[in-house]
Amino acid sequence: MVAAWRIRRILPAVVALAAVAVVGCSGDAQPPVRPSVAIGASPGASGTPTSTAVPTGPLPSSAPGATPSFIATVATLTAADVPHTWHSGCPVAPADLRLMHLSFWGFDKRPHIGTMVVNASVTGDVMKIFSVLYQQQFPIRRMQPEDAFNGSDADSMAADNTSGFNCPAGSSGAGHSSEHALGKAIDVNPVENPDASGKNPMPPAGKDFLNRSDLRPGMAVPNGVLVKAFTAAGWVWSGPSASGPNYQHFSTNGR
């Protein structure tokens, strides 16, 4: 568990589960699920996951060998919860951010629960996107807020970490070049999807994935599961960016 992640104002879960079947963990330290707003296990008629019970431990499974249902939770946070990724010059206040717990499918072909900080206004989009990725069993390596890496984007990328909000000290507030400072951008599997917009790919291990025709698990490709899940929610992929491909980066406006 990342000790810095203390969720202080968590509302109670909607319904307590009667039983929870234990699934294997990924080996990556993840905070426990501390739900506030319980969000869907399965899509409703509108495509938005409907309300359901949320466990306070491992993902539930309805039968031996069955895939646990998708789960997402949304919780408020304070500045104390984002000490390395937020400062007073950032263009968004902690009160406008949310901590989400999300089911994801690991490279070990098993279900896990990860955590991510995003803008409150995009939690519905994020829920829909990751519900699709989970249902399609698109593999994600790791999912932790960048505070787990002391706000270091380089370290988060090197760990192949999927993350959202980051506005560390030294960033330029409202003039910040990325929607990450607003919590309206998400980087997915940075090693498999390197930022190739500069002279050298970031993270360095991403050089092994610069050949995008060599399709491997976890990669973002045109018309692939990952790209289609984000674009269906109205988000923009920076893979085909004219300023240089950033395969990991998805945002609400392309920045």
Side-chain angles (χ1 to χ4, degrees):
M1 178 187 296
V2 180
W5 290 94
R6 298 164 299 167
I7 306 173
R8 302 182 179 191
R9 296 196 301 270
I10 303 302
L11 302 175
V14 176
V15 182
L17 286 182
V20 174
V22 176
V23 299
C25 62
S26 65
D28 296 332
Q30 298 286 357
V33 177
R34 300 169 183 165
S36 67
V37 180
I39 304 174
S42 59
S46 66
T48 302
T50 55
S51 226
T52 188
V54 180
T56 55
L59 287 168
S61 178
S62 57
T67 299
S69 298
F70 175 79
I71 286 177
T73 69
V74 182
T76 57
L77 43 72
T78 69
D81 297 309
V82 284
H84 304 293
T85 57
W86 183 86
H87 61 94
S88 60
C90 291
V92 64
D96 296 319
L97 298 171
R98 296 292 184 269
L99 178 66
M100 299 189 72
H101 286 84
L102 298 162
S103 304
F104 70 92
W105 199 257
F107 276 80
D108 59 359
K109 300 182 179 180
R110 302 175 76 176
H112 307 284
I113 293 179
T115 51
M116 182 183 300
V117 175
V118 298
N119 194 289
S121 66
V122 301
T123 55
D125 288 349
V126 173
M127 174 182 55
K128 291 177 184 178
I129 291 165
F130 283 88
S131 174
V132 170
L133 297 180
Y134 183 74
Q135 290 163 13
Q136 296 294 319
Q137 298 188 2
F138 178 87
I140 292 174
R141 184 77 62 187
R142 180 191 299 247
M143 188 188 297
Q144 292 178 287
E146 289 208 13
D147 266 272
F149 302 89
N150 296 319
S152 170
D153 194 43
D155 288 348
S156 179
M157 287 192 291
D160 208 11
N161 182 53
T162 293
S163 62
F165 172 75
N166 191 19
C167 181
S171 59
S172 54
H176 198 276
S177 61
S178 171
E179 291 293 277
H180 284 291
L182 286 168
K184 296 182 179 182
I186 295 174
D187 290 340
V188 181
N189 292 346
V191 171
E192 289 77 15
N193 301 303
D195 178 357
S197 60
K199 182 178 179 180
N200 298 308
M202 290 295 294
K207 69 180 185 296
D208 293 334
F209 291 86
L210 291 177
N211 179 4
R212 306 307 287 180
S213 62
D214 182 11
L215 183 58
R216 284 162 283 176
M219 290 175 61
V221 294
N223 297 314
V225 170
L226 179 61
V227 173
K228 289 173 70 174
F230 274 93
T231 56
W235 288 46
V236 181
W237 179 42
S238 294
S241 174
S243 61
N246 186 352
Y247 300 111
Q248 66 196 251
H249 187 75
F250 298 85
S251 68
T252 57
N253 64 1
R255 288 182 55 189

